[in-house]
Amino acid sequence: MADTLAETENTIDRRMPSEEVASEPVSAISARALRKVYKASGGQPAKEALKGIDLDIPRGSIFGLLGPNGAGKSTFINILAGLVIKTSGSASIWGFDTDVNPRSARASIGVVPQELNIDPFFTPAEALEMQAGLYGVPKSERRTMEILEAMGLDDKAHAYARTLSGGMRRRLLVAKAMVHNPPVLILDEPTAGVDIELRKQLWDYVQELHAQGTTIVLTTHYLEEAQSLCDQIAIINHGEVVACEPTQTLLSRISEKRLIVRAASPLDQIPASLEDMKVTLRPDGSLDIQYNPVEVSAMSILAQLSAEGLEIADISTEESDLEDVFLQLTSGAHGAGN
Ligand code: ADP
Ligand code: MG
């Protein structure tokens, strides 16, 4: 990035959607049919990393982009950051189309890349000042020490970057992404290689930024991390979005349990009393009943069945967890999809 981002076409409007006049709120990030094909090179065949992504990330959210390694998360982020050129489709950031208003789009996000690319010849304070210069932040508005302090790097402000630990480097990258005070902060695998204490510190800072109105997008392959932090989660696999919903909705799926009921004689159809539930008849004639223990108990299901005259020979329960849902969604069989 040799050019300065100072002369943006418009000033960035940080208002929340509720304050907007338009009835359709403008997303923090929006992608339509976004596609990326990496060309074949060095014996490697061409790779379609994104197969036409449609995604809307609401303003004010902490949004988790979840997916296994190679799913296309970094490709998506890097297209937004202007580091990877999309093959087709469109993307906009804070309402700015990346083709039409590239400078405003870029000024609207700060990206913490997955790679720890720190220039070893600059101190953290110098690195931040340079970044601020690149984004045209006037000297009077720079918050170099404030940001370093928030990231727990103030005592390293004037140390050589090569003396920083992995965790410190990660935090320096977050600091760099924040110098121009963007309304959207994107963190790509921010906790890879970061120890638990620093991880907590990083999340505290991210949550504080969120509380102050910054929209947060993070990619991770740690399910639990996304679960505890994000209010909405999109799951991406093989370059496709396989789920996108509020974390609570995803969790309610996860809290589903399964009750396997074997009748005295194998069944050939699902009993009428279970019509409203998610039930499948297994090849061996037993019933696989999915239920949410918050809504209904296993006892009442069994009571219903015996009231209908079913003689129960055996029962067992299976609990699904986040891992299960994730596997289910990413295994190719979109069992729990919409
Ligand atoms: P994620 O961040 O979810 O792990 P990536 O976006 O890094 O996934 O990668 C998606 C796919 O694109 C992978 O198959 C990866 O090997 C491929 N890929 C990523 N970057 C390049 C590149 N520069 N050239 C060729 N293929 C790439
Ligand atoms: Mg990645």
Side-chain angles (χ1 to χ4, degrees):
M1 246 188 325
D3 58 337
T4 164
L5 296 170
E7 62 278 28
T8 50
E9 298 94 307
N10 303 72
T11 48
I12 306 301
D13 183 348
R14 302 176 66 100
R15 287 178 306 170
M16 288 291 123
S18 59
E19 295 167 48
E20 270 162 26
V21 197
S23 57
E24 188 82 6
V26 179
S27 299
I29 287 168
S30 155
R32 289 292 172 271
L34 194 62
R35 216 172 142 253
K36 174 64 189 180
V37 180
Y38 289 106
K39 290 201 183 78
S41 79
Q44 291 287 329
K47 170 80 196 178
E48 187 179 17
L50 296 181
K51 297 175 180 167
I53 298 270
D54 290 310
L55 199 62
D56 284 292
I57 299 180
R59 293 190 182 193
S61 58
I62 298 195
F63 192 96
L65 200 57
L66 210 62
N69 278 327
K73 305 181 297 294
S74 293
T75 300
F76 179 68
I77 302 302
N78 291 337
I79 288 173
L80 297 174
L83 301 171
V84 165
I85 298 165
K86 63 183 162 64
T87 304
S88 59
S90 64
S92 60
I93 304 161
W94 216 251
F96 299 109
D97 188 291
T98 55
D99 291 330
V100 182
N101 295 91
R103 282 166 181 247
S104 296
R106 263 199 283 165
S108 302
I109 50 166
V111 176
V112 183
Q114 186 173 351
E115 308 300 331
L116 290 175
N117 54 344
I118 299 273
D119 193 324
F121 297 108
F122 295 105
T123 68
E126 287 167 346
L128 257 57
E129 284 294 320
M130 276 197 21
Q131 186 81 355
L134 204 58
Y135 278 89
V137 180
K139 282 231 155 58
S140 61
E141 286 172 27
R142 293 187 188 172
R143 302 172 298 135
T144 298
M145 282 317 289
E146 181 194 322
I147 295 171
L148 287 176
E149 217 167 284
M151 293 314 299
L153 286 173
D154 41 330
D155 56 342
K156 291 282 180 183
H158 306 295
Y160 283 117
R162 62 179 153 77
T163 67
L164 302 181
S165 69
M168 291 174 184
R169 288 171 190 219
R170 179 77 57 189
R171 284 179 286 149
L172 177 54
L173 288 175
V174 177
K176 274 177 76 180
M178 289 309 296
V179 294
H180 59 297
N181 198 23
V184 186
L185 178 65
I186 305 184
L187 303 115
D188 194 0
E189 304 273 358
T191 53
V194 177
D195 69 43
I196 291 175
E197 199 177 318
L198 291 178
R199 199 182 277 206
K200 194 188 167 302
Q201 195 183 347
L202 185 62
W203 291 138
D204 284 349
Y205 184 56
V206 163
Q207 281 173 316
E208 198 181 306
L209 285 171
H210 178 247
Q212 289 164 11
T214 304
T215 301
I216 309 286
V217 181
L218 62 102
T219 80
T220 178
H221 58 267
Y222 296 119
L223 302 159
E224 284 175 26
E225 204 160 82
Q227 176 184 334
S228 62
L229 278 160
C230 302
D231 47 33
Q232 196 163 335
I233 293 177
I235 297 179
I236 176 169
N237 192 40
H238 296 304
E240 289 178 294
V241 175
V242 292
C244 181
E245 51 194 20
T247 308
Q248 280 314 313
T249 313
L250 201 70
L251 284 176
S252 69
R253 261 199 225 172
I254 291 147
S255 65
E256 253 168 23
K257 280 188 152 193
R258 294 163 73 187
L259 179 65
I260 314 297
V261 177
R262 200 162 54 79
S265 50
L267 299 172
D268 54 11
Q269 63 179 51
I270 294 167
S273 66
L274 300 181
E275 238 164 32
D276 297 336
M277 301 191 68
K278 279 189 237 166
V279 186
T280 47
L281 190 63
R282 290 186 162 183
D284 67 354
S286 64
L287 293 168
D288 179 345
I289 306 162
Q290 284 182 50
Y291 70 104
N292 188 335
V294 179
E295 291 162 4
V296 61
S297 72
M299 283 313 290
S300 70
I301 296 171
L302 293 173
Q304 254 176 337
L305 286 172
S306 35
E308 223 179 320
L310 192 84
E311 199 184 325
I312 296 165
D314 189 25
I315 59 164
S316 61
T317 59
E318 285 171 16
E319 206 155 337
S320 56
D321 58 15
L322 201 51
E323 196 74 37
D324 282 341
V325 174
F326 191 66
L327 286 173
Q328 206 178 343
L329 286 166
T330 56
S331 67
H334 297 186
N338 352 308

